[in-house]
Amino acid sequence: MGEVRGPEAFDLLQAMNTGHDGSMGTLHANSPREAMGRLESMITMGGFSLPLKTIREMIVGSIDVIIQAERLRDGSRRITRITEVVGTEGDVVITQDLMTYEMTGEDETGRIKGKHVGTGIVRPSFWERARYFGMERELAEALDALQE
């Protein structure tokens, strides 16, 4: 699926919750936390009268990872945050950053320099699910590559 802009967010989450592993969508938000709020808003825009707690449980049951891409001031795009959706605590969706992009300066042409930095979480909560699908090695390699 491409960009999610409205009530189709509900359809996407329903599809993800009914066994469609590997689903993906995009939406515009300034942070992973804001992305959660935007999803909630888009679902309610569709006229669904679901309690907020139910919507949040759908989100947590559907989404494992949020990858934030950002256009930097030099015009380049970078993955600036990889965040996992862990669960809920009360009515709050709990997320944790796995990796962030740290700007270290600029080169002589004004291009942003930086590196991806792990937050110290060695095994994300979806690790066992990756193992179930035989993706444990690929996940470890991807996490290692981002830290280089």
Side-chain angles (χ1 to χ4, degrees), residues 32 64-67 81-85 95-99:
D64 295 317
V65 178
I66 300 167
I67 300 175
R81 196 175 291 171
I82 299 176
T83 303
E84 75 171 323
V85 178
T95 61
Q96 64 182 2
D97 288 339
L98 301 175
M99 194 128 334

Side-chain angles (χ1 to χ4, degrees), residues 36-132:
M36 299 285 102
R38 290 211 13 111
L39 265 176
E40 290 173 13
S41 296
M42 286 187 270
I43 290 169
T44 57
M45 282 173 26
F48 301 103
S49 58
L50 297 170
L52 199 51
K53 182 175 172 112
T54 302
I55 294 171
R56 289 179 178 161
E57 287 171 354
M58 279 183 73
I59 290 170
V60 168
S62 304
I63 299 173
D64 295 317
V65 178
I66 300 167
I67 300 175
Q68 181 181 2
E70 190 174 332
R71 184 183 302 273
L72 303 180
R73 67 176 179 264
D74 66 354
S76 65
R77 289 190 188 268
R78 297 278 191 284
I79 302 292
T80 56
R81 196 175 291 171
I82 299 176
T83 303
E84 75 171 323
V85 178
V86 179
T88 58
E89 193 170 294
D91 286 342
V92 178
V93 175
I94 304 300
T95 61
Q96 64 182 2
D97 288 339
L98 301 175
M99 194 128 334
T100 59
Y101 182 73
E102 184 179 291
M103 288 186 261
T104 57
E106 298 179 7
D107 66 16
E108 58 281 345
T109 65
R111 197 142 166 90
I112 301 285
K113 294 185 339 185
K115 61 183 178 176
H116 290 96
V117 178
T119 59
I121 296 168
V122 178
R123 289 198 175 206
S125 63
F126 56 84
W127 191 271
E128 289 305 315
R129 191 163 178 206
R131 183 189 318 235
Y132 173 78

